[in-house]
Amino acid sequence: MTLSAIEVNHLKQAPTIEGVLSAVVSRWSSRSFADREVSPADLTKIFEAARWSASAYNEQPWRFLVGARGSETYKKIFSTLIGFNKEWAAAAPVLILGAASSTFSHNGSANAYALYDLGAAAGALTLQAAALGLRTHSMAGFDHDAARQVFQIPDDYLLGAVIALGYQGEPSALSQPQLLSLEIAPRTRKPLNELVLSAWGTPAELA
Ligand SMILES: Cc1cc2nc3c(=O)[nH]c(=O)nc-3n(C[C@H](O)[C@H](O)[C@H](O)COP(=O)(O)O)c2cc1C
């Protein structure tokens, strides 16, 4: 028996630790998307969250190409996805492609933090989406050269990820057993004592 979207959403919540932002707890990467558009007002909020991220020298190196289903931009982003991602991302009402300028505009030198900043902005975007009841799913599985070509992205821009955005759909809408099992799989994480250190190899004592 397949779980419902509500049951899957429950299963995917991060274990609650008091005080952790509810958007952090509720964010997860769905592959099933409902046939429901994202409002322009919500899209604006999502990109405002990205816009107000921190960046080295306040360069704001990120650029986001965004397309709603049916648009030329959407079709172009979708065309660059690898086959596995095409299987499920076709249901997403919005696709986003992130890029970052690899040079600082104030002096033309290399910006080694461009992708860091793009990732931070994308993180804010995904949390804002979660706070609005939306789901995001980042994808590295796309053809970078094809993306550069279809959008004529300048060489000095690095490409980040494609992000599928929309409302969670019923897991039963996923046609393939592999996709369904991923959709209902519990989320796992490394323990904090592996990730947070006081010296290399030594867990920090947080509490
Ligand atoms: C940069 C990045 C690239 C990813 N690429 C893909 C992808 O190409 N296809 C896919 O199905 N999931 C992709 N994912 C989703 C991850 O597998 C997912 O975020 C991870 O398993 C953790 O699950 P959660 O986001 O639900 O917490 C990607 C995630 C990130 C952040």
Side-chain angles (χ1 to χ4, degrees):
M1 194 185 70
T2 308
L3 298 174
S4 70
I6 291 170
E7 289 168 324
V8 172
N9 190 40
H10 186 70
L11 171 84
K12 293 284 188 176
Q13 304 296 294
T16 307
I17 294 179
E18 205 176 321
V20 173
L21 295 174
S22 59
V24 171
V25 173
S26 66
R27 185 213 63 80
W28 62 278
S29 302
S30 63
R31 288 188 178 83
S32 182
F33 287 95
D35 188 13
R36 179 179 167 191
E37 288 178 11
V38 180
S39 73
D42 279 355
L43 260 190
T44 304
K45 287 175 202 157
I46 285 164
F47 286 113
E48 278 292 331
R51 185 164 82 101
W52 285 99
S53 294
S55 60
Y57 279 93
N58 198 22
E59 174 67 30
Q60 303 156 66
W62 46 75
R63 298 292 181 272
F64 294 102
L65 287 152
V66 58
R69 201 172 26 217
S71 70
E72 276 308 302
T73 307
Y74 186 102
K75 285 178 197 159
K76 284 179 179 173
I77 299 174
F78 186 79
S79 73
T80 70
L81 298 179
I82 60 166
F84 172 76
N85 287 333
K86 276 184 174 156
E87 295 286 342
W88 57 267
V94 176
L95 290 177
I96 299 163
L97 169 61
S101 169
S102 63
T103 52
F104 281 117
S105 51
H106 68 277
N107 63 3
S109 69
N111 179 0
Y113 297 92
L115 282 180
Y116 181 96
D117 292 345
L118 172 62
L125 179 161
T126 60
L127 290 181
Q128 181 65 47
L132 294 167
L134 286 150
R135 300 269 164 265
T136 49
H137 197 132
S138 293
M139 287 170 267
F142 71 100
D143 183 331
H144 283 222
D145 292 338
R148 278 189 189 285
Q149 211 213 327
V150 285
F151 287 112
Q152 295 290 290
I153 298 172
D155 288 345
D156 58 337
Y157 275 76
L158 302 165
L159 299 189
V162 173
I163 302 174
L165 171 73
Y167 292 92
Q168 186 196 347
E170 289 299 326
S172 55
L174 292 166
S175 51
Q176 289 185 18
Q178 184 201 3
L179 291 175
L180 180 59
S181 68
L182 286 168
E183 189 76 350
I184 64 177
R187 294 170 65 223
T188 59
R189 286 299 187 269
K190 293 170 182 163
L192 268 190
N193 66 11
E194 192 179 331
L195 305 172
V196 187
L197 313 173
S198 59
W200 203 252
T202 308
E205 286 197 25
L206 296 176

